[in-house]
Structure formats: C-alpha cells, structure tokens
Amino acid sequence: MNRWSAEPGHACPAAVAAGLLAAGENWTEAVQTAEQAVAAPECRGSAPCMSRALGTLVCAGELVVADEYSLALLEESADDLVMAEHMQLARACVALRTGDLARCSSLLDVLRCNGTVAEIRPVVLLWTVEVLVAQGELAGAEALLLADGAEAALLAHTAAAHDPSRPLLHAAKAVVAMAMNRPHDALTAHLACGQELVDAGVLNPAVLPWRSRAARAALACGDTETALHLAMEEHAAAARWGEPRALGTSLAAVAEASPHGEDLLAYERAIRLLEMAHARLELAEVLCDYGDRLTAHGKQAAEVYAQARATALDAGDTVLVRRAEEAMSGAGAEPALTAVEAEVARLVHAGLNNREIAARLAMGTRTVELHLTRVYRKLGLSGRRELQARRARFRTTPPGTLRTHRGAPGGPST
Amino acid sequence: MTNSGPLDEVRRTRFELVRSGRWNEADRLAGAVLAWTGSGLDLAYLPGGQVPESGRPAVFRAVQAANRGTGRAEAADIARRVLASAESLDAGTFWQAVMVLTYADEAALARRHWIAAPGHLGDVHDLLGGRIMVLCGDPRAAVRLLDGARGRGVRPGLRVVAVAWLVLALVEAGEPDRARAVLETERLTEHPDCAELCFARGRLLLAQGQSAAALDEFLDCGRLLSAWGVVNPAVLPWRSSAALAACDVGDLVLARICADKDLVAARRWGGPRGIGLGLHAAALARGGDDVLLEEALTFLGQASTAAEALRARHDLAQLLLARGEIDRARKHTRRLREAASGPQWTQAVDALASRLLRNDGESALSGQERRIALMARAGRSNREIAAELRLTLRTVEFHLTAVYRKMGVAGRPGLRRAFVPTA
C-alpha cells in the first residue's frame, strides 16, 4: 500500500487503481480497476501489483472480495514468497478492519518474525502497534516502537523525501503517544504523518484517517477549534470517497468536537455507517463516546454501553471492554442535580409556577428558568409537564460539592 | 431441518467466521460439510431455506455463488441442468434451482420450468409462481397465486416468505392498504427469513412516502443479510432501495454509498436487473443524472422487470420536466403510458401529462426555488428553511408556491413524490 503513483509509461491497472485510491475522488472506478488488475494476467503474477489492487479493495471497504482474492492468490502462488507475504498482509488488514484482533495479531506476528520483504515492515509495525494498544499492552507497543528503531529511522531519513515508510512510522508513534496519555506528542506526530501523506499525494482518509485521530488528540489537548477543523476536513474528504467506514469515523470525530446539542444526530449517523462497514473496532469506540455524550446530556446510556461492551468483546479490544464496563457501573444512576436544581425541581413537581418558586427561594424568575433548563437537560426531559409526571425524588450531588447556600428555603441570602 | 449436535456446531462456526470477516472460509466449511455428510443445506442463505429436506450439493454450490455474487453463468447453468434432468424433482431441489434462476435474471426460463412442473409441489409451486410473476411484471397474477397459497396453507418453513412476497406483490400492484393489512395479521418474530420481510416492509413504506422508516427497514435487511455473508444485490437489492429512501430524506452521501456499492456488486454478478436498479439509484443519488437513468432503462428493459423499468422512466420524465426539457419529457411520458399497468401508474402518467400541458419549457426551477424545494422535500419546515437560507418566512412561502405551480403538484406531499433535481 506504499506505492501510490504509477511509474511513467507503465500504467498497469493496479497502478491506476492505487492512484485512484490515493486521490480518493472516484470510488466506483477505483474498485473496478482494482478488480481488472486481479483479472489481468500481467498484473496477477506480480506481487507489487496485487498488493496495490488488494490495498485498493480493502480501503474501498470491499472486504468480502479482498478476502476471496487474497486467499485465492495465496493458494495459487505457493512458491512465490514475496506474493505470499503481501497476501498475508492483505489478510491481516481485512482482519484488522473487520475487528478480529486475535487473528490479525497472529498473522502480523508471522510477518514480523519471518518476513523478508522490507517494504511491508513499517505497515506491519503500525498495525501491530495498533493491535497491542487495543489489547491494552502499552509497554509492548512502546518496546516494539523502540526495537524497530522507528525514531531513529525518522531522524535518519529527514533528508530523503517521500520515503513511503515515514507517514506510517509517524502514525505508529502517534498511536502509542495517545495511548500513553501524551496528547501533545500524539497531535504533533499525527500532523507530521498527514503532512507526509499529503506530500505524497495521498488525500484519501480511507488509507489512514490521520485527521480524525489528530482531532481526538487535539481535543485531549483542549483545542476544540483545531479538532473541529480537522474533523470537518476529513469528513469532506470521506464524503468525496464515499465509503462508510471512513465517513463514519470522520463523522464521529466531528460529533466528538461539536458543541453539545449538535452532536447526538452525528453520532447516530456514524454508528449506522460503521455498522454497514462491518467496522467493529471503530464501532465499539464510537459507541463508548456516544454513551459518554448521552450521559453528559443527562440521558440513559446503559444500553449503548452494553452494545459497546459486546462489540469490543467480540473484537478482542480489552481497553474498550474495560472502558464500557466502567461506564456501565457508573451510568446506571441518574445524573446528579445540584441542591438548588433539586429544590427547584421539587417545587415544580409540587405544582408551583416560576414566579412563586422565585419568591420562595429568593431569586429572580430568570434564575429559576435557568435552573429549570439545566434540570430538563440533565434528566432528559422536554419540559414542565414531563417533570411533573415524574416520580418525586431527585438525586443530588453529595453535600460536599454544594456550591450555594442561597437555594435552601429560608437560607441566608447574600 | 436436522438439529443434530455437530451440524449446529458447524452452523455456529460458520456465523462466527462470517462475523470475523472470513467469508471465504465460511463458504468452504459449508461446502465441505455438505459434500461430506450430505446434510447442512441451510448453511447458505436462501429464503424458505428450510424447504430442502433433501437436495443436491451442486445446486447448493449455485446458491452459494449467488450469495457471493460471482459466477452467474455457471450458477444458472447448474440450475438449468438440474431442472432439465429427466428424473422427477423433490420440492427442495426444485425450490433451490428456480430461486437460482431468478437470481440469475433468467425469469423467462424459470417460468417455463414452473409451468412444466408437476402438480405435487403444492405450496412450493405457488410461491415460486408468485415470485416469477412479480419479476415478469404481472404483480396481480402474483397476488392471486400467493393469496391462494396462503388460503390453502403453506408449510411453516415458508410462512414468512409467503407473507413477504405477497406484500411485495401487493405494493407492485398498487394496493398498499391490503399489503399493510397482510403485515398486521401476521405476527412474526425471529426467523431466518426476516430479511425478506424487512425488505418488503421497506418497499411498502417507501411507496407510502415514509422514507425514513423505509430506510431503517432496508438497513435492518442489510444487517441480517451480511450476517449470512450475502453480498449479491440480486438476492435482495436492499442497498439500491436504501439509496432511494436516503435520497428522499435528503441524505445524498449515504444514498451514493449504497447505490455505488450495489452497482459495483451487480456488475460483478452481471445480472441486468441489479445493474439497472443500481444505476437508477446512482442517478438519483447524484441529484438526478439523466444519462445514468437512460442507461438504467436499457438494463431494466432487458430484464423485463416491468414495474422497475416504469419507475425509472417515471423518475426520468419528472427529472426532464423539472429541467425544462419538455420534448424528451413528453417522449418518456408517452412510452410510460404505453407500458403503464395498474391504477397507480395510470394516475402517475395522468399527473405527468397534466404537468406537461401546463409547462412549455418554463418549468425549470430557478436555483433558489430548487434549493428550497429540496429542503422542503427532505422534511424541513418553512421556518427552518428560512433560518438556514437567511430568508424571511414570506419569501420561502412565495418560492414554494412558485415551485408547486411550476411542478404542478398540490403541496408538500405532492412535492415529496415529485422529483427535484439538485444539479
């Protein structure tokens, strides 16, 4: 998947397909050209050609076809070691994208230990790191990064432009940094990866969704503006390509960076797209994010977390399983109201109107309205009628976190 | 259907393989088990898959090929040879072979074998007849056959298919109310054939203009089929249908994803019906592309699936009319009238004709009108449109009135059914 452009004067269908993939503008043409390459005798015998064709099909989300072709090619060219390695790599990629971490990991292990083809090493490194991080083996991922000399390679090659391994090494570094809770380093590395890809003419987020990953890192750094900008850019590019995984991933990044209120619909659309794409790893993560956001909106998220947990368990992503479980144990309860909010809610429930409540609690009617709005949002209610129809008890934050004394009836007013 | 332990184990393993993206190994496992033990015919998706008590490994391979969507000629060939063989056929083999022929767009051939089939096949014969009649463009005959079969009683394994296909036939015959009634009398839960039912329900909702609900049904249908590892749109063109629903709700990106994926898969399989449906959906997903629609018509014409060709021509005529290409619109309206069958099509042609009478090339909407019409069609309120385009409410109302007049529709519901090009 590293060689994007055709050598001049030698535009075989596989090279054309890889070019179409890199540009990311014409999904139909890219898929059909890649399939032509698999059928063309002059391409079928060549390992680099088949690697390009299969890479295009995988990034186009045509995983069933990629599975079929890679297996057939593996069997028909048993003595061609180079072809075998490329096809195993393609199969590992299908496993990674469908979210079968265990199988992906064993395929990658074989390639890492016995692999002879130098150009696939950085790809193997990146995916191995991704799998290890998902399995919660952070130390292993970091050790691998050091052992493979990724850092040294990046420093040594600064002069050599367009080395196809550089964006992959940056990406691997970024994934580890993000998992080690170093979002600033992750952001820098993701942006470096993206710059290399763009310089090489790879504009398609289906190859490597660096913008949405960078957006997550930027969010973790607290830079919402950059995050939203990156996510929107990737979403536009993913919409041009028209493949559900890339689109869903970018849409989830947009939702993550969006202000409250504009995000739930985007999450739901992202989940729908990732389900269509059979993308279990991405789906589990987006479900967790969606659950968190629902909780923040004061809505029930237990079901979403349960689905996230099941999906993550299925894929073998232990980190997400743990995250969903922790969220589930915390999410059963309702979001807590502050003492004032609870008091206002109680009085509304008792049938008082806002003016009466304002008089009772010695505050302005505007303030009452403000508290009520928060109550509705936290409890996920549409308004006064729904609140009055509810059971009477409201859970409050523990007294230690009480921020005001003014709300207590008859309390001191400052 | 056997319930022996080892076969259950195989079934589970197969689903597990599909879920982990190992489609090919799943297929091989099923093939090997069948060749080895002679049982396990329900290891590939086939509606009414519980019919074959017996069956032949060769036909099973054809069913697998049809699910995968490769090797149409060979699959059709296997089915043809089995049906032509002199020995008398059991119900299961007959069912499988005729289904494969319908997937391969050999409806005429399927019909010949169906007519020649012996009488003892009972419900299997009636149901296949219903399916063939819908594909041959005679939904009323299909309704008669399927209704009759249900009256006489069908075996439990075919109940869901019978309902799903009857609903589809009723929708095609322009009787959505009856279709709804059939769906309501049947309480159906977990069943392997629920994909067929989701699809039929989706078509009904789409015909009634409830596109958002229809989209959900189609996506559910897709989820069920992908659990079986079915890729071929010839089995159920759920993506093309989802694309039409997504266009209606204004999600053109999703529409394009679905349409293109179906189109590529249909070309791989090579059946003209699937290609035509994919092209039709792709044309609408691009905001109305008359070249793609013309291409869709040539493919749908080959497959003799009358209703689907009518739908494509109707959309083409509306698109041309909205663009102000009156002569071409008139030509297609004429062809539509010649081919129209059933009250819903006569009505549609009359509506088109009356719009054509009122419009003499002035009908093309202005850019602003088109934008507003599209948003209104996607279900946005006047107030929302005004806010998004920074117009006053009065201006939006003014533009919409012009849109209704130019397009000759009665209001928002009419607009939803009429076609608004985005480009």
Side-chain angles (χ1 to χ4, degrees):
Chain A
M1 63 179 276
N2 309 336
R3 299 156 300 275
W4 300 110
S5 46
E7 296 134 40
H10 182 69
C12 69
V16 174
L20 285 164
L21 169 66
E25 303 277 350
N26 195 336
W27 184 89
T28 312
E29 202 58 34
V31 172
Q32 287 177 350
T33 316
E35 290 198 64
Q36 275 166 28
V38 175
E42 73 272 20
C43 280
R44 198 174 174 103
S46 144
C49 277
M50 284 305 92
S51 159
R52 283 171 170 167
L54 268 291
T56 306
L57 289 172
V58 168
C59 293
E62 290 287 284
L63 300 179
V64 182
V65 184
D67 173 58
E68 186 175 337
Y69 290 149
S70 59
L71 198 59
L73 282 161
L74 202 57
E75 287 169 352
E76 103 188 8
S77 45
D79 357 310
D80 184 347
L81 275 177
V82 180
M83 176 71 93
E85 280 185 33
H86 278 294
M87 289 308 107
Q88 291 293 13
L89 188 69
R91 297 187 66 69
C93 189
V94 172
L96 184 63
R97 295 204 172 207
T98 52
D100 186 348
L101 285 182
R103 187 167 62 107
C104 180
S105 159
S106 69
L107 283 168
L108 288 174
D109 277 348
V110 173
L111 283 171
R112 208 154 40 81
C113 301
N114 309 331
T116 54
V117 184
E119 62 216 43
I120 72 173
R121 288 198 73 82
V123 188
V124 173
L125 173 70
L126 171 60
W127 293 345
T128 310
V129 162
E130 283 182 18
V131 170
L132 285 173
V133 164
Q135 290 171 334
E137 292 174 32
L138 273 186
E142 206 184 16
L144 192 65
L145 209 53
L146 286 173
D148 255 51
E151 194 75 40
L154 281 175
L155 288 173
H157 281 71
T158 33
H162 297 332
D163 177 349
S165 70
R166 289 174 58 85
L168 302 167
L169 296 178
H170 280 301
K173 251 179 77 181
V175 168
V176 171
M178 192 66 188
M180 308 279 282
N181 214 2
R182 288 188 278 117
H184 285 281
D185 296 348
L187 181 58
T188 315
H190 276 310
L191 293 178
C193 158
Q195 192 57 54
E196 300 263 3
L197 284 173
V198 170
D199 287 348
V202 182
L203 309 174
N204 191 342
V207 176
L208 225 172
W210 62 273
R211 282 194 183 86
S212 58
R213 290 180 182 179
R216 277 175 189 278
L219 267 187
C221 298
D223 187 350
T224 322
E225 204 175 315
T226 306
L228 191 59
H229 178 73
L230 284 163
M232 295 292 258
E233 253 185 31
E234 181 161 297
H235 185 244
R240 278 199 295 279
W241 176 236
E243 183 272 321
R245 171 196 316 268
L247 194 64
T249 305
S250 68
L251 202 53
V254 171
E256 191 75 354
S258 292
H260 279 230
E262 298 166 20
D263 46 357
L264 291 184
L265 198 64
Y267 273 120
E268 280 155 24
R269 288 188 54 210
I271 289 167
R272 173 183 271 185
L273 288 164
L274 293 173
E275 276 180 345
M276 272 179 72
H278 203 109
R280 287 185 294 178
L281 285 176
E282 290 88 340
L283 181 62
E285 179 163 29
V286 173
L287 282 169
C288 278
D289 292 344
Y290 179 52
D292 293 351
R293 199 53 76 95
L294 281 175
T295 313
H297 277 280
K299 293 188 173 149
Q300 276 297 329
E303 254 175 63
V304 175
Y305 285 129
Q307 200 193 337
R309 183 182 173 273
T311 311
L313 201 60
D314 211 23
D317 188 323
T318 48
V319 174
L320 284 175
V321 171
R322 206 174 319 131
R323 183 175 153 197
E325 277 170 356
E326 276 165 17
M328 273 160 98
S329 58
E334 244 166 34
L337 302 180
T338 65
V340 199
E341 286 163 0
E343 188 58 19
V344 172
R346 196 183 63 77
L347 294 174
V348 168
H349 196 266
L352 271 66
N353 67 29
N354 287 2
R355 201 157 338 134
E356 290 162 341
I357 297 171
R360 181 84 76 91
L361 299 183
M363 51 172 70
T365 41
R366 288 296 290 270
T367 316
V368 173
E369 282 163 17
L370 198 75
H371 284 307
L372 263 181
T373 317
R374 289 212 194 101
V375 169
Y376 296 154
R377 205 193 58 215
K378 283 189 178 175
L379 301 182
L381 304 174
S382 67
R384 186 175 286 263
R385 192 169 310 167
E386 269 194 44
L387 179 60
Q388 283 171 344
R390 270 173 62 99
R391 64 195 163 78
R393 288 194 55 81
F394 299 101
R395 211 170 66 91
T396 57
T397 43
T401 57
L402 206 64
R403 261 171 287 166
T404 171
H405 298 287
R406 218 162 60 132
S413 57
T414 44
Chain B
M1 173 170 155
T2 43
N3 260 328
S4 58
L7 207 52
D8 274 348
E9 186 62 37
V10 172
R11 224 168 266 138
R12 254 198 309 279
T13 313
R14 186 187 170 278
F15 274 106
E16 184 54 42
L17 284 171
V18 170
R19 232 151 42 104
S20 309
R22 303 161 78 169
W23 297 276
N24 221 294
E25 290 163 67
D27 268 7
R28 288 179 185 195
L29 172 74
V33 167
L34 187 73
W36 194 32
T37 65
S39 57
L41 286 156
D42 57 342
L43 289 171
Y45 178 78
L46 189 69
Q50 284 146 319
V51 177
E53 296 91 4
S54 59
R56 298 168 196 204
V59 197
F60 180 78
R61 275 203 300 281
V63 172
Q64 274 192 326
N67 285 341
R68 213 170 34 230
T70 50
R72 181 173 74 111
E74 295 92 307
D77 215 43
I78 291 172
R80 192 180 299 129
R81 260 197 316 240
V82 166
L83 287 168
S85 66
E87 45 193 312
S88 83
L89 291 177
D90 60 289
T93 309
F94 185 69
W95 177 268
Q96 285 181 315
V98 172
M99 285 301 291
V100 168
L101 283 186
T102 61
Y103 289 155
D105 284 356
E106 299 277 5
L109 185 63
R111 193 168 170 198
R112 276 206 298 284
H113 283 293
W114 177 73
I115 291 171
H120 71 269
L121 293 170
D123 53 352
V124 164
H125 192 257
D126 289 342
L127 257 57
L128 286 175
R131 180 176 171 87
I132 291 168
M133 288 305 161
V134 169
L135 289 176
C136 291
D138 191 351
R140 259 173 298 278
V143 169
R144 274 196 301 280
L145 279 163
L146 292 164
D147 230 6
R150 268 166 37 93
R152 283 187 293 277
V154 295
R155 68 188 81 187
L158 288 178
R159 280 259 314 283
V160 180
V161 191
V163 173
W165 290 357
L166 178 58
V167 169
L168 267 186
L170 284 168
V171 172
E172 295 294 338
E175 299 191 60
D177 295 334
R178 264 183 78 195
R180 187 162 287 278
V182 170
L183 273 175
E184 273 161 13
T185 54
E186 285 291 337
R187 256 175 264 303
L188 299 157
T189 47
E190 291 286 308
H191 192 282
D193 293 340
C194 277
E196 302 284 327
L197 204 60
C198 286
F199 185 77
R201 216 182 282 132
R203 294 301 311 193
L204 172 62
L205 289 165
L206 193 61
Q208 295 190 312
Q210 299 179 35
S211 307
L215 181 58
D216 286 340
E217 292 289 348
F218 291 133
L219 294 180
D220 275 346
C221 170
R223 211 167 291 138
L224 291 167
L225 287 180
S226 46
W228 278 94
V230 175
V231 188
N232 190 355
V235 173
L236 277 176
W238 65 272
R239 280 199 188 85
S240 298
S241 296
L244 300 188
C247 283
D248 275 358
V249 299
D251 191 343
L252 288 186
V253 177
L254 181 61
R256 211 186 66 208
I257 288 178
C258 290
D260 288 358
K261 190 137 179 145
D262 242 10
L263 183 54
V264 164
R267 285 197 174 127
R268 201 178 286 136
W269 175 241
R273 172 173 176 249
I275 298 176
L277 290 176
L279 283 166
H280 182 184
L284 297 202
R286 280 164 179 74
D289 182 321
D290 55 329
V291 181
L292 285 179
L293 270 173
E294 296 262 17
E295 208 186 332
L297 272 174
T298 52
F299 278 101
L300 290 172
Q302 281 176 37
S304 78
T305 38
E308 282 150 2
L310 286 177
R311 240 188 311 271
R313 200 181 291 282
H314 186 237
D315 281 345
L316 179 56
Q318 296 209 67
L319 169 67
L320 294 169
L321 176 59
R323 287 227 182 116
E325 293 188 42
I326 298 304
D327 283 342
R328 281 176 71 199
R330 200 165 274 146
K331 187 189 98 192
H332 285 289
T333 310
R334 212 165 34 238
R335 299 276 304 270
L336 204 55
R337 191 181 291 288
E338 288 159 15
S341 62
Q344 87 272 33
W345 285 112
T346 344
Q347 272 170 28
V349 175
D350 286 346
L352 262 177
S354 76
R355 279 170 59 191
L356 270 167
L357 269 182
R358 257 173 297 153
N359 294 298
D360 295 311
E362 300 292 322
S363 68
L365 305 178
S366 74
Q368 186 74 308
E369 285 166 354
R370 189 170 299 152
R371 253 188 304 283
I372 292 175
L374 266 171
M375 291 169 77
R377 183 170 178 263
R380 236 77 78 76
S381 74
N382 288 1
R383 201 177 297 277
E384 286 166 345
I385 297 173
E388 191 162 328
L389 298 179
R390 296 175 200 286
L391 300 169
T392 65
L393 202 52
R394 289 291 291 271
T395 314
V396 172
E397 285 163 6
F398 174 78
H399 280 306
L400 267 181
T401 316
V403 168
Y404 296 153
R405 181 175 48 78
K406 284 186 178 180
M407 300 196 53
V409 297
R412 239 166 232 263
L415 188 62
R416 195 155 295 167
R417 276 186 296 275
F419 191 77
V420 185
T422 48

